[in-house]
Amino acid sequence: MEQVSDFWAATRVISEALDGLDHAAVSHMSDTEKVRAMTCLRTLSRRLDVSARVVTDVVSKACAVDRATGLMLSDFLAREEGRSASEGLGEVHRAAAITANSQVRDAALAGTITPEHAVAIGQQMRTLPVGEMTRDEEDAAAGQFIDAARSTAPGQLSRKTASILETAAPRLAPSPRDRAGRTAARRKHAVAERRFCWGEDGNGSIWFSGKLPELEGRTLIGTLQAFTEKGRQAERAEREALRAQRNQGVISSRQYLALRRETDARGARTTAQRMADALVDAAHLLAGKDLVPSAGGQPPRIVVTIGYQYLRDALQGMIDAGTFEGEVPVDAGTLRRLCCDAQILPVVLGSDSQTMDVGRSERLVTPGIRRALEHRDGGCIYPGCTVPGHLCQAHHVCPFWDGGATSLDNLVLVCRHHHAVVEPDPHRDRDQPRIVFDPTTGRPRVIEPERMRNYRTRLARPGSSDQGEDSVRMGGEIQSGAADRPRDPNKHQHQAALL
């Protein structure tokens, strides 16, 4: 236990040192000292980052979060650090890459290489035939990667892999024929890994990320660069035209300066901004030439969400004013048909024309319920998850096999991953996240496992952050507490092992 005590003592010293750091003192330093201060703190930050990831990998391999909180490590990180579930999973993978080789791990812990370099090296080491390499050959390859990292960006280290293998283990280096085969295999893998993702940032923008095979990616980049260069040429031509007009007396010097300021303001774009504008220009060019296909045989449409009572009252006013004649359209189906004439599709939830409850007669979700779920939940309801609604699965909160109805008040949208997390245990022995509906709003929310609540309670105890032994024992105590809860004696006792 002495090692454990030393660990907590060291973390306490680091925390106290950070609390005592006087950032205002930097403003009184010379320029050289300011640069040294910045470099020192950035190096310390990278070393702490690597330390956290090394411990993250230890936690992952020991399944400590699962035993202590009832959550998967990626979901735990998403909750505690305000990440998405996919970002949490990415942290787990990056931690494993850093610790894949002890020499790379130690270099990163010492600050010799950055965490990003360590992750990239770990990923490249996995592409080598490590199982056929001797320890000396593996260490030689790791050392060469570390040396290359001092002058190579993390994303460019993959270009060094072939030459490093030839130097560190020439007997294992592929022949030209093998290299051709690997190139084909790499191409096949890149094609399988292609993706394009987007989402809202909550601040008026949409973010994008993705991967393309190198050939297609360079084609796209080249196309956008062509649009970018065209824009630069147009700006240069505009400036030259303004100078010519000023020299010819067409415009005055004052007009020239005003127009030149406008031109310079438009040209004051970063390369990244120009590339973004080029992507939009390319999309507009396709749309302008009517080259954009319709989706599913139907043109894009606007869906307007309107309250049923509000829409009914508005139409009643039009009827009273003589705008409509005949029977008062009180049902949602009539309202929808009236709006269709104006090419408006109102989402009127709970209407007679959209079946929201099929009870026990059907297990599968009807199209009407599915649309209502996507409208209400938006996407996966699990905290931190960003999977959109159309990629989610409809989940019975009270299982169909346990008498649950296929109705809106018993269904939620969850992604494939979190569907397995919240699926109720038939034996009711597993401490797991649960879904409940807010009695006021009717919206679903996820209740964390009892072990997670116990974990937070223990963490909040006075002095708990200084008591390393309490943290070490935490998983066992929570497990014991869960096992001591009264259970139905008729249930399968072997399920207790899942705790």
Side-chain angles (χ1 to χ4, degrees):
M1 299 302 294
E2 184 176 352
Q3 285 181 309
V4 174
S5 299
D6 290 344
F7 176 88
W8 290 115
T11 57
R12 184 164 57 249
V13 169
I14 294 172
S15 179
E16 291 173 353
L18 289 174
D19 291 339
L21 195 63
D22 184 9
H23 294 86
V26 179
S27 61
H28 301 291
M29 296 179 182
S30 66
D31 289 342
T32 301
E33 288 178 321
K34 287 175 181 176
V35 175
R36 288 179 57 194
M38 176 192 70
T39 303
C40 176
L41 289 178
R42 291 181 69 85
T43 301
L44 289 174
S45 173
R46 291 195 298 267
R47 295 181 65 184
L48 282 174
D49 186 13
V50 173
S51 296
R53 290 181 176 182
V54 168
V55 175
T56 298
D57 188 58
V58 173
V59 170
S60 176
K61 288 182 170 62
C63 300
V65 168
D66 182 38
R67 293 201 302 269
T69 70
L71 299 178
M72 297 181 66
L73 176 55
S74 58
D75 292 330
F76 178 84
L77 292 176
R79 284 198 175 201
E80 295 300 298
E81 300 178 4
R83 301 174 182 269
S84 67
S86 59
E87 289 172 336
L89 186 60
E91 278 296 300
V92 176
H93 290 323
R94 284 187 286 272
I98 288 179
T99 60
N101 179 273
S102 59
Q103 190 176 351
V104 175
R105 177 202 63 201
D106 293 343
L109 286 171
T112 305
I113 58 176
T114 68
E116 293 76 17
H117 280 103
V119 171
I121 293 173
Q123 292 171 342
Q124 290 305 308
M125 289 291 291
R126 290 173 177 170
T127 66
L128 300 178
V130 177
E132 304 175 45
M133 299 172 69
T134 65
R135 168 58 77 180
D136 290 341
E137 290 172 337
E138 184 180 347
D139 288 343
Q144 291 184 46
F145 270 120
I146 293 172
D147 291 339
R150 294 187 175 93
S151 59
T152 307
Q156 303 298 320
L157 280 175
S158 60
R159 299 181 180 180
K160 305 283 187 179
T161 305
S163 60
I164 287 176
L165 178 60
E166 290 179 358
T167 304
R171 63 187 181 85
L172 298 175
S175 65
R177 182 175 181 179
D178 290 337
R179 282 197 295 269
R182 291 187 180 184
T183 300
R186 187 174 64 176
R187 163 71 182 178
K188 182 178 180 180
H189 176 75
V191 171
E193 288 286 306
R194 70 191 187 282
R195 67 174 185 270
F196 182 74
C197 311
W198 67 87
E200 297 180 6
D201 70 348
N203 197 31
S205 296
I206 294 179
W207 57 261
F208 301 93
S209 68
K211 292 173 64 176
L212 284 175
E214 188 171 5
L215 178 61
E216 288 78 2
R218 292 192 180 279
T219 300
L220 176 61
I221 292 171
T223 301
L224 297 182
Q225 287 175 335
F227 274 91
T228 299
E229 183 57 30
K230 180 181 178 181
R232 288 194 175 100
Q233 291 175 357
E235 291 165 7
R236 288 194 294 267
E238 186 175 0
R239 287 193 294 268
E240 292 173 0
L242 287 176
R243 281 195 295 268
Q245 290 176 354
R246 181 196 59 184
N247 296 336
Q248 295 169 4
V250 177
I251 59 176
S252 66
S253 296
R254 178 177 296 180
Q255 290 173 320
Y256 169 78
L257 291 175
L259 293 171
R260 180 61 188 266
R261 279 195 295 268
E262 292 180 7
T263 303
D264 291 344
R266 290 196 302 271
R269 294 178 290 169
T270 65
T271 300
Q273 289 173 332
R274 288 179 181 275
M275 292 291 279
D277 293 342
L279 180 63
V280 175
D281 290 342
H284 285 167
L285 181 63
L286 288 175
K289 293 187 175 182
D290 199 24
L291 296 177
V292 179
S294 61
Q298 295 291 332
R301 63 187 179 187
I302 297 177
V303 178
V304 183
T305 303
I306 306 174
Y308 170 74
Q309 189 60 41
Y310 176 86
L311 186 57
R312 180 188 182 282
D313 293 343
L315 287 174
Q316 181 64 57
M318 297 174 70
I319 293 167
D320 293 341
T323 305
F324 290 120
E325 298 179 359
E327 184 180 355
V328 177
V330 295
D331 65 288
T334 303
L335 299 183
R336 287 170 56 86
R337 286 191 293 273
L338 287 172
C339 289
C340 280
D341 290 338
Q343 296 184 354
I344 299 175
L345 177 61
V347 177
V348 185
L349 301 184
S351 64
D352 292 339
S353 61
Q354 295 290 324
T355 303
M356 295 297 120
D357 186 345
V358 295
R360 296 287 301 163
S361 63
E362 294 184 47
R363 184 184 187 280
L364 299 180
V365 174
T366 65
I369 296 180
R370 177 74 195 198
R371 286 193 292 271
L373 281 172
E374 292 184 3
H375 172 80
R376 184 193 68 191
D377 297 344
C380 179
I381 67 164
Y382 203 92
C385 188
T386 58
V387 175
H390 67 279
L391 298 180
C392 289
Q393 300 172 339
H395 165 69
H396 288 74
V397 176
C398 178
F400 190 81
W401 49 258
D402 198 27
T406 304
S407 59
L408 193 58
D409 57 2
N410 188 48
L411 291 166
V412 296
L413 289 182
V414 285
C415 66
R416 184 180 300 275
H417 166 70
H418 287 121
H419 200 163
V421 173
V422 300
E423 184 66 33
D425 173 26
H427 306 292
R428 295 182 175 84
D429 284 328
R430 182 155 56 99
D431 180 29
Q432 64 180 118
R434 297 181 297 107
I435 298 175
V436 298
F437 290 90
D438 187 288
T440 303
T441 65
R443 293 187 174 276
R445 61 188 180 94
V446 178
I447 302 296
E448 58 192 18
E450 182 178 344
R451 283 172 290 176
M452 185 64 180
R453 295 194 293 274
N454 290 342
Y455 167 79
R456 294 186 187 279
T457 301
R458 293 178 184 276
L459 204 62
R461 288 178 180 173
S464 63
S465 60
D466 295 335
Q467 301 297 325
E469 292 184 9
D470 286 350
S471 298
V472 171
R473 292 195 301 265
M474 188 181 302
E477 290 176 356
I478 293 176
Q479 182 173 349
S480 173
D484 292 339
R485 290 195 301 271
R487 295 185 185 147
D488 185 344
N490 296 324
K491 299 297 179 184
H492 296 277
Q493 296 298 319
H494 73 273
Q495 291 291 329
L498 292 174
L499 294 173

